[in-house]
Amino acid sequence: MTQDAVALEERLRSVNQRTEAACQESGRTRDEVTLIVVSKFHPEATVRALAALGVTDFGENRHQEAKSKTDATADLDLNWHFVGQLQSNKARQAARYASTIHSLDREAVIDALAKLEHRIDGFVQINLTANEGRGGVEPKDIERITEHVLNTPTISLRGVMAVAPLDEAPESAFERLREYSLRMQQVAPEATAISAGMTHDFETALRFGATHLRIGSAITGNRAE
Ligand SMILES: *Cc1c(COP(=O)(O)O)cnc(C)c1O
C-alpha cells in the first residue's frame, strides 16, 4: 500500500473507533449510525481506496464534481448522498446518481424531485443559525415543508439535516436539532433520522441522536490541491 493509503486507513479506523466509543457512552449501538464520507475536493482514487476499505456511503456537495466522480466510479456499488445546496434545475440530475438528498430546503427543489420516475430518500435541511440567508428552512417552517415532502410520492422522508453554526457550542445547536426532529416526527412519524456531525463535532452530534454522520477531512485528510 502507498503511504497515502496507509494514512487513509488509519484515519478511517480512528473515526470508526471514536464513533463506537461515542455510541457506547450514550447507550446507542454502532449499527444505528451510517457513516458518510464526504469526498468533495478529493479525487476518484480516494473514493476507490476508501471503497476498498469497506466504505459504502459517500457524500458530495456540488453537482458538477459529484457527477464526474460518480460517473468515474460507476463500476463500484456505492451509495451517494448529495449534501450541498441544490438548485432546483439540478435536482433531477442529482437524483440520477444520488440515492439520498440531504438538503431539501425549498418547495421548488421538492417539486422538481416530484417529477422523478423513481423514489429517493430525502432529509429536510434546517437552518440552525440566526441568519436567514444560510442554507436550510427556518424552524418555523418545519411542519409546512414536512407536509410538502409527505405529499411528494417520489421522496421518502428520512428526517432532518443540519450543519452546526460556527459561533455556537455544538451541544446547544444539536439539542435544538433534536427538538426539531421530534417536531417533524409529530407530522411524519417515520422520519426519525438525524443527519448531523462533521469532522469537528461528530461525537457531540452522536450524543444528541445523530444517525447519519457526514465526515470529510477527519478521514480524507487535507484537501488535495
Ligand atoms: C464538507 C461538508 C461536510 C464534511 O465536512 P468536514 O468538516 O470536512 O467533516 C459535511 N456536510 C456538508 C454539508 C459539507 O459541505
Side-chain angles (χ1 to χ4, degrees):
M1 265 200 291
T2 65
Q3 220 171 6
D4 279 0
V6 171
L8 209 53
E9 183 169 24
E10 277 170 9
R11 288 191 299 262
L12 176 65
R13 186 182 312 124
S14 158
V15 166
N16 274 324
Q17 280 169 353
R18 288 167 61 190
T19 300
E20 184 83 45
C23 283
Q24 250 170 35
E25 270 168 41
S26 35
R28 305 182 60 200
T29 63
R30 176 66 179 81
D31 315 351
E32 308 168 27
V33 178
T34 301
L35 170 65
I36 299 160
V37 178
V38 179
S39 50
K40 68 182 183 209
F41 308 137
H42 290 271
E44 171 199 343
T46 305
V47 173
R48 290 190 178 278
L50 286 165
L53 296 169
V55 176
T56 53
D57 288 76
F58 290 88
E60 286 287 334
N61 73 336
R62 285 171 50 244
H63 171 64
Q64 275 315 327
E65 182 177 352
K67 174 149 184 11
S68 54
K69 221 173 291 179
T70 55
D71 280 348
T73 57
D75 57 307
L76 302 175
D77 188 16
L78 303 175
N79 244 333
W80 287 92
H81 300 252
F82 196 88
V83 303
Q85 255 202 353
L86 194 54
Q87 292 169 316
S88 49
N89 63 352
K90 296 281 161 57
R92 282 169 73 191
Q93 293 179 51
R96 282 201 201 121
Y97 53 76
S99 60
T100 310
I101 299 205
H102 289 243
S103 44
L104 302 176
D105 64 352
R106 286 188 315 282
E107 268 98 350
V109 171
I110 296 163
D111 291 343
L113 295 169
K115 297 175 196 133
L116 290 174
E117 279 158 17
H118 67 286
R119 243 172 122 85
I120 56 158
D121 284 350
F123 287 80
V124 170
Q125 182 175 356
I126 300 177
N127 180 10
L128 296 179
T129 76
N131 176 350
E132 292 212 6
R134 299 304 290 271
V137 305
E138 292 305 308
K140 67 175 165 45
D141 296 325
I142 290 170
E143 285 80 6
R144 199 188 80 225
I145 295 279
T146 300
E147 295 277 5
H148 201 84
V149 178
L150 291 180
N151 289 326
T152 306
T154 51
I155 306 176
S156 297
L157 181 61
R158 299 297 313 279
V160 294
M161 177 277 209
V163 175
L166 291 173
D167 59 355
E168 180 184 353
E171 285 79 2
S172 56
F174 291 139
E175 188 163 22
R176 282 206 306 292
L177 183 61
R178 187 164 63 184
E179 288 162 18
Y180 299 150
S181 165
L182 293 173
R183 266 174 58 191
M184 176 178 278
Q185 290 175 60
Q186 295 286 315
V187 184
E190 289 173 8
T192 54
I194 300 179
S195 167
M198 304 172 30
T199 288
H200 296 294
D201 57 23
F202 71 91
E203 286 147 308
T204 308
L206 283 167
R207 286 212 301 281
F208 287 90
T211 59
H212 290 67
L213 305 177
R214 307 180 313 267
I215 301 188
S217 52
I219 293 172
T220 58
N222 288 329
R223 140 185 208 160
E225 295 299 341

